[in-house]
Amino acid sequence: MQGTTTGQGTTTAGAPALPHTAPPPLAEPRPLGETRTWPGDFTHRLTAPLPGVRALARIAREGKLRPAPEKLPEIQQLPFEPGPMPAAGTTTLALTWAGHASWVIRIGGLTVLTDPVWSRKILGTPARVTPVGVRWEDLPPVDAVVISHNHYDHLDAPTLKRLPRHTPLLLPAGLAPWARRRGFTQVTDLDWWEAVELPAPGGPVRFDFVPAHHWSKRTLTDTCRSLWGGWLLTAPDGRRIHFAGDTGYGHWFEEIGRRYPGIDLALLPIGAYDPRWMLRPVHTDPEEAVKACQDLGARALAPMHWSTFLLSGEPPLEPLHRVRTAWAATGRPREDLWDLPVGASRVLDGS
């Protein structure tokens, strides 16, 4: 498997780091908005083969990418409690869950959106089963957007079209041309372990792009031609949030925790996992999300990527029940499981 050059040396993309080695120093922030040249594809970064023709035929035959009809009434019980976002000063670190992988993060005086999807329907899926948790008109001015990868339920062109074209977009390697073609003028795309800083009223906020166990595809001809990953946001006072984007479970979580000690909160996916024979490499189930939180060394876990779009076969409420059970089994404080309803907010304290 090909190595990954990050400016701090070369690591092997698919192999876990040796546990006894000291973590490398964090990369120096790169210039915002630079134009870069990338490889033609990132297939060598995959940590599992993509489904082939036989797998696609099997899933079509079994028809198990949607919940069983008798489980659909659970949709009415999905937690949806929109409320006003908390006031946020320069030292506040607060989150509001808009649904799926879309968060409104207030950090260092900035308002940051993650994988914003405010559309009612996305290509290839049924419509949302819960409304967006925050009305677009209720958002404060958006200071930056981070994108994990180019799948339609994470990179939603109609939502991005609502933003001023000078909004900074932070993207995986290879996605900058897509954004520039749509008129965005402050576009930065990064490789794994690279970072940028954005000026903020409370001091610079650092954004590191980190690995994930996933893949990318938006058209019939662009499989893995852009990268995928998560983001590590560091506030001016050093508090850290890991936004995993979309990912399966694997060795990258331990490596991220090793390089970025003291993560305060991990935003991790808990849905879209059934059938496991197909989705295990790319989507964590609730128990794996809890394990990933432990691997990261994160103090708290905020589940996401469920309760919004029905993308797979598990019953709508099952992810919530399972993540609560898995968290309780660890013996960790219940208050450190941020199992928020869609639309709810929470403030991260400074302890």
Side-chain angles (χ1 to χ4, degrees):
M1 189 171 284
Q2 183 174 331
T4 305
T5 302
T6 67
Q8 295 294 330
T10 300
T11 61
T12 303
L18 296 176
H20 63 272
T21 59
L26 297 184
E28 288 296 318
R30 298 194 66 92
L32 288 165
E34 65 177 327
T35 301
R36 305 176 68 179
T37 300
W38 298 106
D41 72 74
F42 294 89
T43 305
H44 61 284
R45 305 291 185 89
L46 293 171
T47 47
L50 296 177
V53 174
R54 288 185 179 180
L56 297 177
R58 177 180 172 184
I59 199 65
R61 184 173 65 252
E62 294 178 353
K64 291 185 177 179
L65 277 182
R66 295 291 181 268
E70 63 270 19
K71 295 295 184 179
L72 293 180
E74 291 185 5
I75 291 172
Q76 303 303 318
Q77 303 173 51
L78 291 172
F80 178 71
E81 298 178 13
M85 286 183 289
T90 58
T91 61
T92 305
L93 210 168
L95 297 95
T96 303
W97 190 30
H100 203 51
S102 303
W103 295 87
V104 184
I105 301 179
R106 318 292 290 281
I107 181 169
L110 300 181
T111 296
V112 179
L113 302 184
T114 68
D115 289 1
V117 179
W118 260 250
S119 297
R120 179 176 176 272
K121 193 176 187 305
I122 54 175
L123 185 67
T125 70
R128 313 174 73 103
V129 294
T130 50
V132 183
V134 183
R135 297 189 310 167
W136 188 262
E137 55 267 31
D138 292 337
L139 287 172
V142 176
D143 298 297
V145 172
V146 299
I147 299 293
S148 64
H149 65 298
N150 71 353
H151 287 160
Y152 281 86
D153 60 322
H154 294 259
L155 178 62
D156 184 48
T159 298
L160 294 182
K161 191 175 181 180
R162 299 185 180 196
L163 293 165
R165 295 306 183 269
H166 63 266
T167 305
L169 301 187
L170 307 183
L171 307 172
L175 264 183
W178 182 93
R180 292 189 178 113
R181 286 195 300 271
R182 285 154 180 80
F184 286 93
T185 59
Q186 298 191 47
V187 179
T188 307
D189 56 350
L190 299 179
D191 201 347
W192 289 345
W193 311 123
E194 292 184 337
V196 294
E197 287 185 345
L198 291 182
V205 176
R206 180 179 170 110
F207 297 78
D208 289 73
F209 189 54
V210 296
H213 298 271
H214 206 62
W215 62 301
S216 69
K217 183 181 181 68
R218 198 166 177 88
T219 72
L220 294 175
T221 60
D222 68 348
T223 302
C224 295
R225 292 194 177 178
S226 61
L227 198 49
W228 52 91
W231 291 90
L232 207 297
L233 282 62
T234 304
D237 62 6
R239 286 179 292 169
R240 285 175 163 162
I241 296 177
H242 174 243
F243 167 69
D246 211 351
T247 182
Y249 177 76
H251 70 271
W252 283 129
F253 291 108
E254 286 191 7
E255 179 63 10
I256 293 166
R258 191 176 74 97
R259 293 184 183 226
Y260 303 92
I263 296 172
D264 294 278
L265 177 65
L267 314 181
L268 291 166
I270 65 166
Y273 52 78
D274 185 32
R276 294 311 284 148
W277 65 262
M278 180 178 182
L279 294 172
R280 182 183 301 276
V282 293
H283 288 160
T284 50
D285 65 22
E287 293 78 14
E288 289 169 333
V290 171
K291 179 65 165 64
C293 181
Q294 294 174 306
D295 292 350
L296 289 164
R299 174 162 63 93
L301 163 63
M304 64 175 184
H305 205 265
W306 78 286
S307 189
T308 308
F309 298 104
L310 299 182
L311 303 177
S312 56
E314 71 272 5
L317 278 172
E318 183 180 279
L320 180 62
H321 298 323
R322 286 177 54 175
V323 78
R324 287 174 172 172
T325 299
W327 187 265
T330 68
R332 301 177 70 175
R334 177 61 179 86
E335 62 268 21
D336 288 342
L337 177 62
W338 291 25
D339 48 346
L340 300 178
V342 174
S345 301
R346 188 161 171 182
V347 177
L348 182 71
D349 63 41
S351 60

